[in-house]
Amino acid sequence: MKIKLTQAQEEALRAFLEGFEDAERLSAREYVVDLYDIPVPVSLDLVFVRGGVAVDGAAELLYDAEQDGWYMGQRLESPDDVRAALEQAGAWKA
C-alpha cells in the first residue's frame, strides 16, 4: 500500500525516523520502526517513494507478559490505520 504525503510530512517523517530510538534505516529509502507508545502498537516497514511512502509491511504488536516480549499480531491492511499510527506517534503534525 502507498500513503501519500505532502513534502512537509515527508520531511517530518524522515526526521522522526532518523531520531527515533526504535527505528532502523535499512537503506537510503527504507526504514523499519516499532511504535510502542500509541494506543495500538505497530511495526512498520516503510520505503520512501515519489509522493509518499510505500508500506511494505505493517502489523499490530502484541505483548506476551509470560514471555516478556512483543510479537506480531494482525496485519494492517488500511493506509488510514498506518497514517493514524504515524500521526499518533508524532511523526508529523496532523
Side-chain angles (χ1 to χ4, degrees), residues 10-26:
E10 183 177 330
E11 290 171 7
L13 180 56
R14 280 187 186 272
F16 172 81
L17 293 170
E18 283 295 324
F20 192 67
E21 179 179 6
D22 292 313
E24 179 182 357
R25 183 168 35 133
L26 301 179

Side-chain angles (χ1 to χ4, degrees), residues 62-71:
L62 303 171
Y63 185 76
D64 184 326
E66 189 173 298
Q67 296 291 323
D68 191 29
W70 293 89
Y71 65 97

Side-chain angles (χ1 to χ4, degrees), residues 1 9 23-24 30 34 37-38 53-56 59-61 70 81 85-86 89:
M1 80 183 88
Q9 287 173 326
E24 179 182 357
E30 185 175 9
D34 294 330
D37 295 327
I38 60 175
V53 291
V55 182
D56 282 358
E60 293 179 357
L61 289 173
W70 293 89
D81 290 343
L86 289 166

Side-chain angles (χ1 to χ4, degrees), residues 20-91:
F20 192 67
E21 179 179 6
D22 292 313
E24 179 182 357
R25 183 168 35 133
L26 301 179
S27 72
R29 299 180 324 131
E30 185 175 9
Y31 293 80
V32 292
V33 60
D34 294 330
L35 304 173
Y36 298 106
D37 295 327
I38 60 175
V40 178
V42 297
S43 182
L44 305 172
D45 184 346
L46 304 172
V47 179
F48 284 88
V49 295
R50 176 175 235 139
V53 291
V55 182
D56 282 358
E60 293 179 357
L61 289 173
L62 303 171
Y63 185 76
D64 184 326
E66 189 173 298
Q67 296 291 323
D68 191 29
W70 293 89
Y71 65 97
M72 294 225 189
Q74 182 177 349
R75 290 187 55 171
L76 298 179
E77 301 288 340
S78 165
D80 292 336
D81 290 343
V82 174
R83 179 182 284 279
L86 289 166
E87 287 175 354
Q88 290 166 2

Side-chain angles (χ1 to χ4, degrees), residues 3-13 51-52 83 92-93:
I3 298 175
K4 292 182 182 180
L5 300 175
T6 65
Q7 184 67 31
Q9 287 173 326
E10 183 177 330
E11 290 171 7
L13 180 56
R83 179 182 284 279
W92 62 76
K93 291 185 180 182

